[in-house]
Amino acid sequence: MPEHGGNLDLAMQRFGGDARDWIDLSTGINRKPYPVGELPETVWRALPSRSAIEALHRAAREAYGTTAAILATNGAQAAIQWLPHLAPPGRSRILGPTYNEYAAVFSASGWDVREVSDLEALAGADIAVLANPNNPDGKRYEPSRLLALLSRVGRLVVDESFADAAPELSLAPAAGKQGLLILRSFGKFFGLAGLRLGFVAGAETDIAALSAMAGPWPVSGPAIAIGERALSDREWAKTTSARLVRDSQRLDREVTKLGWTLVGGTLLFRLYETGNAIRAQERLARAQVWSRVFPDQNGWLRLGLPGNEAEWARLSAALTG
């Protein structure tokens, strides 16, 4: 299985404690989540209705600024799993370094997979994949550059899982164009990753094919109710984006005392060059603060943002202790 953040089992095995003791900053998940509130009992008892799913789709279209066909999925990961089955196996080109599940799912489905380091090298692919902003380095691409690539690939998949706080990067308004697929994660920005909700927007033919793969109930009743409520709460989104700007700057200031340098990041995580990421991770882990390292980049350490002042104090103490 490809390595991911959020692997607290490994942290506890190596450094002790249980999940309640740890601050998990190894992911890019907002640690100050959307307030779910009360849910109608029916969302637990009844199968999700078509009208409820369509209401969720309308809320997602409005939040993401698109009129394209859209499909709610069991997290963005579900859509990633289906992508290789949209066409016969061919050439998949992935702009890296990035989320490592893309290479894994295409390889498992018999595709010729190659990770490339330049946007232009995606040209000629049957399916080209990139993230905007990118994970883990936060690299950003102007939408016009991506649209210019669309005619040079069979399909262009743009993973916008970290774009909620950077709407100017989103190609969702253009998602109806043939061959363009936009993936969105709900759980990261709204801090509800356990809900397992995501979306894919694109041309009607591709969304119809993905919908057939998903089956009649692609997401749960609670996910539908919470997703529609949260996506419609634009004031919360605006306030949260402003807070994340402040907090990402605060985290950058915190690590300067150790001489770490910023490689990049988004408003939900930061990536630092530490010189020795394993040693940096262990330093934080002794204070039960978990981070993400990358086997092929010895100095890179990724940190999410603390969710409250108590977590900020623990992180600061771990950095200076």
Side-chain angles (χ1 to χ4, degrees):
M1 177 182 293
E3 183 177 330
H4 303 293
N7 52 343
L8 272 184
D9 287 344
L10 174 62
M12 292 183 289
Q13 179 183 343
R14 292 175 57 191
F15 299 98
D18 62 39
R20 293 169 296 181
D21 302 320
W22 284 83
I23 302 174
D24 186 4
L25 303 184
S26 68
T27 73
I29 298 167
N30 183 359
R31 289 187 62 82
K32 194 170 183 178
Y34 183 80
V36 171
E38 296 293 325
L39 294 179
E41 185 182 347
T42 54
V43 307
W44 303 100
R45 292 191 291 105
L47 286 171
S49 67
R50 177 49 51 188
S51 61
I53 295 174
E54 284 306 316
L56 173 62
H57 287 169
R58 286 194 297 272
R61 285 191 188 96
E62 184 171 348
Y64 300 144
T66 186
T67 59
I70 197 166
L71 175 67
T73 62
N74 184 26
Q77 181 62 43
I80 293 171
Q81 299 292 138
W82 302 327
L83 290 174
H85 307 292
L86 282 173
R91 292 165 297 179
S92 174
R93 300 294 179 260
I94 301 167
L95 187 59
T98 195
Y99 184 50
N100 53 25
E101 283 290 343
Y102 283 107
V105 298
F106 277 99
S107 293
S109 298
W111 284 70
D112 170 29
V113 180
R114 187 180 307 164
E115 184 175 290
V116 300
S117 58
D118 180 76
L119 190 65
E120 289 299 310
L122 294 173
D126 296 299
I127 293 186
V129 180
L130 62 94
N132 192 31
N134 190 43
N135 171 23
D137 60 9
K139 191 168 183 179
R140 300 156 66 102
Y141 301 93
E142 289 299 320
S144 59
R145 290 189 66 196
L146 303 186
L147 285 177
L149 182 64
L150 184 58
S151 63
R152 302 163 65 195
V153 299
R155 283 182 176 86
L156 177 64
V157 178
V158 183
D159 186 335
E160 296 184 351
S161 289
F162 291 98
D164 290 75
E168 70 280 2
L169 295 181
S170 180
L171 274 180
K177 292 181 179 293
Q178 194 65 41
L180 178 62
L181 287 165
I182 305 299
L183 271 58
R184 299 293 294 239
S185 167
F186 173 86
K188 294 179 175 63
F189 180 72
F190 288 95
L192 298 171
L195 198 64
R196 305 312 303 139
L197 179 61
F199 299 90
V200 55
E204 290 187 6
T205 52
D206 280 344
I207 298 303
L210 292 169
S211 182
M213 297 179 208
W217 302 290
V219 290
S220 69
I224 293 168
I226 294 169
E228 182 188 1
R229 182 182 299 175
L231 288 165
S232 300
D233 193 343
R234 305 313 299 157
E235 187 58 35
W236 184 90
K238 180 180 178 181
T239 300
T240 296
S241 294
R243 174 181 61 81
L244 292 172
V245 170
R246 297 191 299 270
D247 285 357
S248 60
Q249 295 170 346
R250 179 178 180 179
L251 184 57
D252 291 345
R253 292 194 299 271
E254 284 282 342
V255 305
T256 57
K257 61 191 72 172
L258 297 179
W260 298 356
T261 57
L262 179 67
V263 176
T266 71
L267 295 185
L268 285 169
F269 66 82
R270 315 301 280 170
L271 181 68
Y272 301 106
E273 172 56 55
T274 67
N276 187 324
I278 295 297
R279 185 169 60 196
Q281 184 183 57
E282 291 176 349
R283 176 179 190 165
L284 294 171
R286 286 193 291 271
Q288 294 183 313
V289 175
W290 195 230
S291 56
R292 173 83 189 275
V293 297
F294 301 86
D296 55 347
Q297 294 287 344
N298 293 335
W300 282 11
L301 182 126
R302 193 183 72 183
L303 283 174
L305 307 180
N308 56 48
E309 286 303 319
E311 291 186 356
W312 278 106
R314 279 183 59 184
L315 176 61
S316 183
L319 290 169
T320 57

